[in-house]
Amino acid sequence: MREKAKPAGRPVQAYLFADPVSHTLSPVMHNAAFAACGLAGEYSARWVSAAELGQALASLRVEGVLGANLTIPHKETAVAYMDSLSGAARTIGAINTVINVGGQLHGDNTDAPGLAAALSDAGDAGGPAVVLGAGGAARAAVYALRLRQREVFVVNRTPDRARSLTAALGGQALDRAAVSWEQVSLIVNASSAGLNDPDQTPLLDFDFAALPPSALVYDMVYKPAETRMMREARAAGLRAENGLGMLAQQARLAFIAWTGCEIGIKVFLDALRLHGLDRGAPL
């Protein structure tokens, strides 16, 4: 996307725009990446409401600002403010990375390849998948899975949103009761369930023993490190992992897009571990 940033000169800036923003670990990773690349830069998180999003994005157009990451609830709304979009962002209809290119804002989606890399690291073997949720994160998940020719079912508390998602990206929107769980090899929680309430789960009163013993449960929520969904899956003998791996993978791809510095995933994961975070307790 751009030439490698130079270590000398005025420090560059990058941001996270979110609402709420208190849970974020992005500054921990990106500031470690700046240091590892020898770049004078600072990444900071800003609490940006939906009403403030347009003004916040406009502030990225100045020299010295690399861009921003976007998370809840801005990933879909921000598309309308971009001057250009990557192919993935255009198809998904959501962006998580904004890149300032000479005052023009380019929107990209690193969630999809970030999830694909994290699932590979977690030992996902392929097969039918269920995505829980229908927002920007769910759209990225469905896109990533469908790109690999996987059968995908979308379950959401608002069925119309699930149907809209699958009409755009493929897969099938189903009620929970209609899913053939015994054939599902992967569940991805792409909703915010569990993010603000550790006892909240997107699968209330669900029998995880209905899944094949080899199934993987992947929760995009990473704080707490072990969500209720993960605990219940593990109690049934299944593998379960939180979203820390995806967080690191998508951050790495965003950082490379901003700076041109090809940095390894270890820098991002090590920064998280220094803050006592991991991908969840082992089985």
Side-chain angles (χ1 to χ4, degrees):
M1 193 67 222
R2 65 168 76 239
E3 295 180 358
K4 184 173 180 179
K6 306 296 191 298
R10 182 181 177 184
V12 291
Q13 302 283 328
Y15 301 96
L16 171 75
F17 296 160
D19 181 10
V21 77
S22 57
H23 69 282
T24 185
L25 301 171
S26 293
V28 168
M29 295 185 294
H30 285 285
N31 286 319
F34 277 126
C37 282
L39 300 177
E42 181 182 11
Y43 183 105
S44 56
R46 290 174 53 185
W47 195 320
V48 174
S49 69
E52 298 167 325
L53 180 61
Q55 183 178 357
L57 290 169
S59 73
L60 301 177
R61 296 180 182 273
V62 300
E63 185 178 358
V65 174
L66 300 177
N69 288 133
L70 305 173
T71 187
I72 296 172
H74 303 314
K75 292 183 179 183
E76 294 170 88
T77 308
V79 169
Y81 294 92
M82 297 297 104
D83 298 302
S84 61
L85 295 169
S86 68
R90 184 176 296 105
T91 300
I92 294 167
I95 60 178
N96 75 318
T97 301
V98 181
I99 307 156
N100 176 22
V101 185
Q104 298 290 294
L105 299 184
H106 179 74
D108 198 1
N109 192 304
T110 66
D111 279 336
L115 174 63
L119 289 176
S120 179
D121 290 344
D124 174 39
V130 169
V131 174
L132 306 174
R139 295 180 73 87
V142 172
Y143 175 85
L145 295 167
R146 291 292 296 157
L147 203 61
R148 285 151 183 79
Q149 307 300 312
R150 294 181 68 164
E151 189 175 14
V152 180
F153 305 104
V154 178
V155 176
N156 189 58
R157 61 185 178 183
T158 307
D160 284 348
R161 292 199 71 195
R163 286 190 285 269
S164 176
L165 189 162
T166 55
L169 297 174
Q172 186 176 357
L174 290 179
D175 291 333
R176 191 174 106 176
V179 176
S180 298
W181 293 102
E182 71 278 2
Q183 299 177 15
V184 172
S185 62
L186 171 69
I187 296 177
V188 176
N189 177 31
S191 76
S192 60
L195 179 61
N196 297 314
D197 182 353
D199 291 323
Q200 191 180 35
T201 174
L203 288 175
L204 188 64
D205 299 323
F206 179 75
D207 182 11
F208 282 92
L211 274 68
S214 60
L216 170 67
V217 175
Y218 194 89
D219 197 335
M220 287 189 184
V221 173
Y222 55 84
K223 199 173 182 182
E226 189 175 50
T227 62
R228 177 177 173 180
M229 187 176 83
M230 291 170 62
R231 290 196 305 271
E232 292 179 352
R234 285 174 170 155
L238 301 177
R239 295 175 299 141
E241 190 162 313
N242 66 26
L244 213 63
M246 177 184 173
L247 178 74
Q249 293 283 0
Q250 63 81 24
R252 173 182 176 271
L253 293 170
F255 187 84
I256 292 172
W258 289 329
T259 66
C261 181
E262 293 281 347
I263 191 169
I265 192 63
K266 187 175 184 297
V267 171
F268 296 85
L269 290 173
D270 283 351
L272 295 172
R273 292 187 187 108
L274 284 174
H275 282 70
L277 300 161
D278 59 35
R279 294 188 291 184
L283 287 170

